[in-house]
Amino acid sequence: MKIIEKDNMLIIEDIKDFNTTHIFDCGQCFRWNKEEDGSYTGVVSGKVINVSQLGTKVIFDNLTLDDYHIVKDYFDLDTDYEKIKEKVSTDDIMKKAIDFGCGIRILNQDEWETMISFMISANNRIPMIKKVIENLSCKFGNFITSYRGRDYYSFPTPEQLAEAHVDKIIECKAGFRAPRIKEAAERFLNERDTIYDLKNKSYQEGLDYLKTYSGIGDKVANCILLFSMKQFDTFPVDVWVRRVMQTLYVDKDTSDKEIRRFAEDKFGDFSGYAQQYLFYYARELNVGKD
């Protein structure tokens, strides 16, 4: 890769295994919005970033060379995805899914933001998830800057949500999740170190711990582990993953728990990557939808 700084932009040339649409539309994040020109704008580490792509050239607007470490970590640029694809290309189904979502990279997201975001995601639609997160950020987060005529705010801290009245959280369209969000924030203040250390624990330890939070079940816990805690041996099962697995791999009556066990046995330490390729493939092509 070649890295260039120009006019408050970071330009990375000859980047491999990177596609903005695949990355931002594969269900792993909720604060990136597509612009009319096809680029995506989001907030990372308190920075408003716009990402556009021309072939193997990716442009990160509103950043300087001093911010490259943010891009490198968040977009997992040091990971060789060609090797990962080789590991999970176990059959023709996976080969098709990988080819379809060849530019997916699993983002390194903040544990706290990911935890609350996926609590909001339970039994919810993506547009509504994004709206609730945006509402919470505008009401309780800190103003960052205006970009392309839009104001951007930081995701609220645990302190900000712990101090918030439940009714104010409900006003953000959080509904029945509001008390759970406040409770999680209050717990997080005392257990911050434990949560940020889960990436260094075993998958089962992380799963068991996260499920002690009200509003975090098996699927949400697995998403948090995968998308912010580097637990790549997990395999979250949602409606799309269930459909593709029951259509292409297992019987129609196979439970989510059995699907996850099947996938983890099949893909091992790379189950999380396989899940992302399969999720994107299933949702975009409506695999298994009657």
Side-chain angles (χ1 to χ4, degrees):
M1 295 189 301
K2 183 179 180 181
I3 305 167
I4 302 168
E5 180 184 354
K6 180 181 179 182
D7 300 329
N8 203 37
M9 293 186 297
L10 271 182
I11 302 169
I12 301 181
E13 297 182 346
D14 302 321
I15 196 167
K16 296 180 179 179
D17 308 303
F18 193 110
N19 182 289
T20 53
T21 300
H22 298 174
I23 291 169
F24 298 129
D25 289 349
C26 68
Q28 64 176 318
C29 55
F30 304 110
R31 290 204 73 194
W32 288 90
N33 295 302
K34 194 170 187 177
E35 306 281 5
E36 291 184 1
D37 62 3
S39 66
Y40 290 80
T41 304
V43 178
V44 182
S45 299
K47 298 272 189 179
V48 176
I49 305 173
N50 175 267
V51 187
S52 58
Q53 184 168 11
L54 296 170
T56 59
K57 179 167 73 174
V58 179
I59 302 167
F60 300 91
D61 188 36
N62 210 31
L63 292 181
T64 68
L65 200 55
D66 289 339
D67 300 313
Y68 174 67
H69 67 283
I70 296 174
V71 169
K72 183 177 75 169
D73 178 64
Y74 186 76
F75 289 97
D76 201 24
L77 296 184
D78 283 343
T79 297
D80 187 341
Y81 273 72
E82 285 302 316
K83 289 184 178 180
I84 290 169
K85 291 174 183 178
E86 290 176 8
K87 292 290 185 179
V88 296
S89 293
T90 55
D91 53 52
D92 288 341
I93 296 169
M94 278 306 308
K95 288 175 182 176
K96 289 179 182 178
I98 290 169
D99 184 60
F100 187 79
C102 59
I104 289 175
R105 284 180 171 268
I106 295 182
L107 303 171
N108 288 316
Q109 301 180 76
D110 175 71
E111 288 90 333
W112 160 248
E113 181 173 342
T114 305
M115 182 176 171
I116 297 301
S117 296
F118 277 92
M119 286 177 66
I120 293 167
S121 78
N123 301 311
N124 212 347
R125 297 175 298 107
I126 286 180
M128 193 60 193
I129 300 166
K130 292 168 73 74
K131 185 63 176 176
V132 175
I133 293 171
E134 188 65 23
N135 289 343
L136 288 172
S137 300
C138 291
K139 183 177 285 289
F140 302 111
N142 299 321
F143 175 73
I144 300 173
T145 190
S146 293
Y147 181 86
R148 293 192 176 186
R150 180 177 176 179
D151 291 342
Y152 285 86
Y153 296 80
S154 63
F155 188 82
T157 64
E159 290 82 1
Q160 288 168 327
L161 286 180
E163 293 171 1
H165 195 281
V166 170
D167 288 345
K168 295 298 182 181
I169 300 176
I170 291 174
E171 288 177 5
C172 296
K173 308 298 183 184
F176 67 88
R177 302 169 184 84
R180 299 174 179 178
I181 291 171
K182 181 174 174 63
E183 179 186 331
E186 292 171 341
R187 256 189 84 176
F188 195 96
L189 292 179
N190 296 317
E191 302 176 18
R192 186 191 309 263
D193 291 344
T194 299
I195 292 171
Y196 279 103
D197 192 48
L198 288 181
K199 62 170 66 71
N200 301 314
K201 302 295 184 180
S202 70
Y203 159 68
Q204 193 61 49
E205 286 177 300
L207 184 69
D208 292 342
Y209 172 80
L210 288 172
K211 288 170 68 175
T212 65
Y213 277 77
S214 178
I216 297 182
D218 196 78
K219 182 256 182 179
V220 168
N222 276 281
C223 286
I224 297 167
L225 289 166
L226 175 58
F227 300 133
S228 70
M229 297 179 178
K230 298 182 182 293
Q231 296 283 2
F232 300 116
D233 51 351
T234 182
F235 192 86
V237 179
D238 75 338
V239 61
W240 290 107
V241 173
R242 183 185 308 120
R243 284 172 181 167
V244 72
M245 293 299 289
Q246 290 179 344
T247 301
L248 302 176
Y249 281 110
V250 298
D251 295 335
K252 290 288 186 183
D253 58 351
T254 306
S255 69
D256 289 357
K257 186 175 181 180
E258 291 171 324
I259 289 172
R260 182 161 60 84
R261 187 179 300 115
F262 171 87
E264 290 169 355
D265 287 343
K266 182 177 179 63
F267 302 113
D269 293 341
F270 299 91
S271 297
Y273 296 103
Q275 190 268 2
Q276 280 293 271
Y277 291 122
L278 287 168
F279 172 88
Y280 186 67
Y281 180 70
R283 193 180 66 177
E284 295 300 308
L285 297 183
N286 284 327
V287 175
K289 187 174 182 180
D290 296 330

